[in-house]
Amino acid sequence: MLIKRRPDIASSEITARGLYLSRRAFIAGGAALTLGPSRATAAAETPPAEPLAAKPSPTFRVDDPPTKFESATTYNNFYEFGVDKADPSIYGARLRPRPWTVRVEGLCARPKTYDLDELLRLVPLEERVYRLRCVEGWSMVIPWIGFPLASLIKRVEPTGKARFVEFTTLYDPAQFPGQKKNLISFSSLEWPYAEGLRLDEALHPLTLLTFGMYGHVLPHQNGAPVRVVVPWKYGFKSAKSIVRIRFVTERPRTTWEKAAPNEYGFYSNVNPTVDHPRWSQATERRIGDFRRRPTLMFNGYADQVASLYAGMDLRKDF
Ligand code: MTE
């Protein structure tokens, strides 16, 4: 997000996938020397995702047609794998999503390290179709699989002092080439990736602890094995490959806030009336469409979430 580029057109959409990958492999010949196996080899190593059963939610679904799986898994932001939209699908095979634990700690009565399989059994999984709107001006519609984050939070009993929740992504440069500080993958972000929500936002029924999409476990590039999805906020609030959830009193400093506080505020609610300093947020392009469409306040979830921000100046608290 720090790099100036045209946010709305993926080269993967203009060129056929095979041609596109081989062209990138050719262009990126130098990069491969630094990052390890060639991009083509890395892409071929990505294992097929396993099916993940979930009951479709009758309530939490939008009518818009879902984005094509191919687009949702090849046009990604996951800076741990690199700054290019195609890097996560190309280098994603390096991530080892099992065994995996999530430490839930901080200001709570029952801190606990959850094994991924235990988390998956905690409450029945649901399929929810949500819009995801990136701060860069593109959006997708994804059938996610997970359960409300609130179900986990309530189990560990946050104390009265807990006001915010911090999410931390795995730090391991061996699995995430983008975390290596070298000329090719340097993105100037601080690792590990950190995001945060106010406790009431984290407890909101829309906030989903997410393990899968399109009927399968999360592809590595989409945040395997577990991420959050907060559909009324710009996509970067939805941290991927989470290893720690921590309850704190002070507002946590998040990765994008640290990188560019004037561009990426803590709240980051989708708001068409507050422009990003470098571009308008009034419209967006749904991946797969040509025309731009008006962006909706809170990404279309205003009825459910506007009350969380009653009395706040959303121009100041952007
Ligand atoms: N989480 C981590 N750990 N690292 C990232 O770079 N990028 C964010 C978010 N979560 C990011 C992350 C951004 S900018 C967006 S738009 C969404 O993931 C993209 O999710 P998707 O690739 O599944 O569409």
Side-chain angles (χ1 to χ4, degrees):
M1 293 196 299
L2 292 174
I3 291 166
K4 284 188 187 176
R5 69 171 91 225
R6 282 199 59 187
D8 54 347
I9 300 176
S11 44
S12 56
E13 290 177 341
I14 306 164
T15 319
R17 173 83 179 144
L19 192 64
Y20 160 76
L21 275 181
S22 58
R23 193 185 63 195
R24 282 192 51 84
F26 172 72
I27 295 168
L33 287 176
T34 312
L35 293 169
S38 78
R39 284 166 175 261
T41 316
E45 281 166 4
T46 309
E50 286 165 40
L52 185 63
K55 208 169 157 209
S57 163
T59 329
F60 295 99
R61 50 193 321 112
V62 294
D63 291 332
D64 320 21
T67 302
K68 279 192 194 146
F69 177 79
E70 166 81 359
S71 309
T73 53
T74 54
Y75 190 78
N76 298 103
N77 276 338
F78 200 165
Y79 281 71
E80 284 86 339
F81 287 121
V83 297
D84 194 282
K85 292 282 180 285
D87 286 339
S89 59
I90 292 165
Y91 297 114
R94 293 175 185 201
L95 178 68
R96 294 187 303 277
R98 267 171 196 277
W100 193 277
T101 57
V102 179
R103 175 78 188 153
V104 188
E105 63 177 27
L107 301 170
C108 60
R110 299 175 179 277
K112 182 175 155 98
T113 301
Y114 285 88
D115 183 74
L116 180 66
D117 290 310
E118 193 181 357
L119 273 183
L120 279 163
R121 284 192 304 266
L122 213 58
V123 281
L125 297 176
E126 289 170 44
E127 185 191 72
R128 296 179 169 197
V129 185
Y130 282 164
R131 302 182 195 95
L132 181 128
R133 201 305 193 166
C134 179
V135 74
E136 295 163 339
W138 49 268
S139 62
M140 301 197 194
V141 177
I142 312 256
W144 301 107
I145 297 173
F147 60 74
L149 178 63
S151 304
L152 174 63
I153 293 181
K154 285 175 186 161
R155 274 183 167 69
V156 298
E157 299 174 17
T159 67
K161 289 194 172 136
R163 292 187 51 231
F164 292 91
V165 188
E166 181 191 61
F167 303 90
T168 308
T169 292
L170 175 72
Y171 176 72
D172 183 359
Q175 298 184 60
F176 287 136
Q179 289 176 336
K180 291 183 187 145
K181 295 281 181 220
N182 60 39
L183 283 177
I184 301 301
S185 59
F186 185 71
S187 66
S188 81
L189 293 184
E190 251 182 49
W191 308 112
Y193 193 93
E195 254 311 333
L197 295 172
R198 228 169 47 192
L199 183 59
D200 59 345
E201 296 176 323
L203 285 169
H204 192 279
L206 278 170
T207 304
L208 197 68
L209 193 65
T210 305
F211 305 89
M213 57 192 249
Y214 297 87
H216 290 77
V217 300
L218 280 173
H220 296 186
Q221 59 267 40
N222 293 87
V226 56
R227 68 179 291 175
V228 279
V229 176
V230 194
W232 70 94
K233 290 179 182 278
Y234 291 118
F236 64 91
K237 296 298 287 183
S238 298
K240 297 176 167 182
S241 305
I242 292 170
V243 290
R244 193 179 69 189
I245 298 176
R246 189 153 60 126
F247 301 96
V248 293
T249 303
E250 300 299 323
R251 192 167 103 175
R253 289 201 68 214
T254 66
T255 295
W256 288 106
E257 252 189 308
K258 280 189 229 167
N262 61 325
E263 302 198 2
Y264 309 112
F266 178 82
Y267 283 95
S268 301
N269 290 315
V270 174
N271 188 341
T273 69
V274 177
D275 287 343
H276 182 278
R278 291 188 267 131
W279 57 81
S280 159
Q281 293 290 30
T283 64
E284 69 200 51
R285 197 175 66 82
R286 188 66 50 83
I287 295 297
D289 285 358
F290 284 107
R291 71 182 174 91
R292 296 188 72 83
R293 64 179 71 211
T295 284
L296 302 174
M297 189 65 200
F298 296 112
N299 204 21
Y301 298 94
D303 287 352
Q304 291 102 307
V305 300
S307 61
L308 292 175
Y309 310 101
M312 282 175 66
D313 178 354
L314 295 182
R315 293 192 157 268
K316 199 163 73 52
D317 295 310
F318 64 91

